[in-house]
């Protein structure tokens, strides 16, 4: 019997098709809340590691700088800090040095600019104008919101979630006074940081939250209208989440419904809304296919653990590659929640 011509030949599977690199990548981190003080706990008793959070940021920057060489052509082009750069328990006279210590860590990032936004803890001990200057926000004069395009066809919008708020301004400032009256009408507790007795999404009416004012809403509408006209994909970044299924109700923006109404007005332009503030993190896809990802906090990482990420941007998805306590998340574009549930 003649031997088969293929006898003894080991068949090897065809090599898998290599996925093209992302168009670009960007780093993300939220709620560093650094302070040079001993560890403590939140009002709910959750441990907080004030000094260690700076180490988390340092490792995040190192990771972004050493991004996958295979994607070096795209690389991590920029990073976004989702607010609360310093903790409110930091002594007032040490708050500015704490902000500068964190800013120095961001300056070690070699890929491009670091973009910042205001959080409630930022505003407890430092004036808004000083923070905008120290963090080099590229915002118009007198405001803390802005937008930028890091890559053709993409628009990033950074909101000031404390534009209308009871924190960050002198008590007699008209906005602060109006915000206190707003809270008085919605939160009957003597301690306005307490949601006790409030139900459902009404639990958001606490002093450590805030909202987007009318002028900023009109500005957002104009930015998204321009992005839609240019057929750009937009990513909206805010310290406060704007979707009830992506965060605790206690952590939502006061007027999240108004912000989402603007987002909905511009069809398929907005692909994702990214946020911080709610330290446990969260994720939801709304009925228009917009992905809402709330990022886990660096502050609550015990020594030896991390919470930061890198988002790889592809034509059809955003891929959050999380580190340790920050969960990785695949965000397929133009996919509504019902389609995801059926998949």
């Amino acid at each position: 019997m003649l031997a088969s011509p293929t006898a003894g030949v080991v068949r090897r599977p065809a090599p898998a098709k290599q996925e093209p690199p992302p168009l670009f990548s960007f780093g993300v981190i939220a709620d560093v809340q650094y302070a040079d003080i001993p560890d403590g706990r939140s009002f709910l008793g959750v441990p907080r590691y004030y000094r260690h959070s700076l180490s988390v940021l340092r490792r995040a920057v190192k990771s972004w700088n050493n991004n996958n060489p295979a994607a070096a052509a795209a690389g991590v082009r920029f990073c976004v800090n989702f607010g609360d750069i310093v903790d409110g328990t930091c002594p007032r006279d040490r708050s500015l040095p704490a902000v500068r210590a964190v800013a120095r860590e961001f300056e070690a990032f070699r890929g491009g600019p670091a973009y910042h936004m205001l959080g409630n803890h930022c505003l407890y001990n430092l004036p808004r104008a000083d923070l905008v200057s120290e963090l080099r926000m590229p915002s118009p004069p007198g405001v803390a919101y802005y937008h930028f395009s890091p890559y053709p066809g993409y628009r990033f919008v950074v909101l000031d979630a404390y534009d209308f708020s009871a924190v960050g301004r002198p008590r007699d400032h008209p906005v602060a006074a109006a915000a206190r009256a707003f809270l008085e009408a919605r939160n009957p507790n003597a301690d306005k940081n307490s949601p006790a007795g409030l139900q459902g999404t009404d639990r958001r009416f606490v002093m450590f939250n805030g909202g987007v004012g009318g002028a900023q809403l009109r500005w957002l509408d104009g930015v998204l209208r321009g992005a839609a006209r240019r057929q750009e994909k937009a990513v909206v970044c805010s310290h406060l989440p704007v979707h009830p299924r992506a965060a605790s109700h206690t952590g939502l923006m006061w007027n999240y419904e108004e912000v989402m109404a603007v987002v909905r007005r511009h069809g398929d332009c907005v692909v994702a809304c990214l946020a911080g503030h709610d330290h446990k993190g969260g994720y939801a896809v709304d009925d228009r296919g917009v992905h809402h990802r709330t990022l886990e906090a660096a502050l609550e990482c015990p020594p030896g653990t991390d919470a930061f990420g890198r988002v790889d941007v592809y034509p059809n998805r955003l891929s959050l590659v999380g580190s340790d306590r920050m969960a990785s998340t695949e965000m397929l574009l133009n996919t509504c929640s019902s389609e995801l549930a059926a998949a």
Side-chain angles (χ1 to χ4, degrees):
M1 184 176 177
L2 294 175
S4 164
T6 58
V9 175
V10 177
R11 294 188 179 274
R12 302 186 187 279
K17 226 177 182 181
Q18 188 172 9
E19 183 180 41
L23 302 174
F24 66 97
S25 302
F26 62 97
V28 293
I29 193 166
D31 299 272
V32 174
Q33 290 181 224
Y34 169 67
D36 188 12
I37 58 175
D39 295 341
R41 292 179 179 271
S42 72
F43 67 95
L44 293 175
V46 179
R48 293 183 164 181
Y49 304 94
Y50 298 113
R51 292 186 176 117
H52 178 252
S53 65
L54 200 64
S55 299
V56 176
L57 173 58
R58 191 171 295 134
R59 288 192 289 272
V61 171
K62 183 178 180 180
S63 172
W64 301 332
N65 284 339
N66 296 333
N67 185 36
N68 182 3
V76 178
R77 291 190 169 215
F78 61 96
C79 62
V80 183
N81 163 39
F82 282 81
D84 280 0
I85 196 168
V86 63
D87 195 81
T89 59
C90 184
R92 188 175 291 268
D93 62 346
R94 283 192 266 163
S95 292
L96 185 56
V99 167
R100 288 174 174 169
V102 177
R104 279 194 298 273
E105 298 298 332
F106 278 106
E107 287 167 6
F109 171 55
R110 298 191 301 269
Y115 293 103
H116 301 276
M117 64 196 75
L118 297 180
N120 51 307
H121 281 266
C122 300
L123 295 166
Y124 288 150
N125 289 346
L126 291 163
R128 296 171 62 87
D130 289 2
L131 285 160
V132 169
S133 174
E134 289 289 334
L135 299 175
R136 300 177 186 174
M137 292 185 191
S139 52
V143 301
Y145 48 85
Y146 54 93
H147 63 98
F148 61 95
S149 176
Y151 187 87
Y154 288 83
R155 179 73 43 187
F156 281 69
V157 185
V158 177
L159 299 180
D160 175 6
Y162 291 86
D163 184 20
F164 180 67
S165 122
V167 299
R169 294 182 176 88
R171 189 172 176 81
D172 59 353
H173 191 283
V175 173
R180 286 197 307 276
F182 176 90
L183 275 180
E184 285 289 345
R186 292 162 177 80
N187 184 333
N189 298 308
D191 177 5
K192 299 303 178 192
N193 275 322
S194 171
L198 301 178
Q199 301 297 318
T201 56
D202 283 355
R203 291 177 65 82
R204 72 189 188 275
F205 295 123
V206 287
M207 190 173 286
F208 54 75
N209 293 334
V212 167
Q216 188 179 174
L217 283 170
R218 291 187 292 275
W219 169 86
L220 175 62
D221 184 67
V223 171
L224 295 183
R225 186 184 307 113
R229 187 174 61 249
R230 294 185 295 270
Q231 297 186 316
E232 293 175 331
K233 294 182 175 73
V235 177
V236 176
C237 303
S238 167
H239 181 65
L240 293 173
V242 294
H243 197 287
R245 289 192 289 110
S248 159
H249 290 166
T250 311
L252 286 170
M253 185 184 289
W254 284 347
N255 63 333
Y256 73 88
E257 294 154 311
E258 288 186 300
V259 171
M260 286 308 301
V262 175
V263 167
R264 287 170 178 273
R265 198 174 298 151
H266 299 286
D268 298 329
C269 174
V270 179
V271 296
C273 294
L274 307 180
H277 191 58
D278 190 351
H279 293 187
K280 297 186 301 298
Y283 175 60
V285 185
D286 68 26
D287 57 0
R288 297 294 294 271
V290 177
H291 296 264
H292 296 264
R293 181 66 168 89
T294 304
L295 302 170
E296 293 82 357
L299 173 67
E300 294 179 0
C301 292
T305 66
D306 289 316
F308 60 84
R310 182 189 80 242
V311 179
D312 294 332
V313 179
Y314 297 88
N316 65 338
R317 74 184 195 279
L318 306 180
S319 179
L320 169 58
V321 182
S323 173
D324 201 359
R325 293 166 67 92
M326 183 173 287
S328 294
T329 310
E330 288 291 313
M331 294 172 269
L332 304 179
L333 304 188
N334 301 317
T335 304
C336 73
S337 53
S338 59
E339 290 170 334
L340 285 176

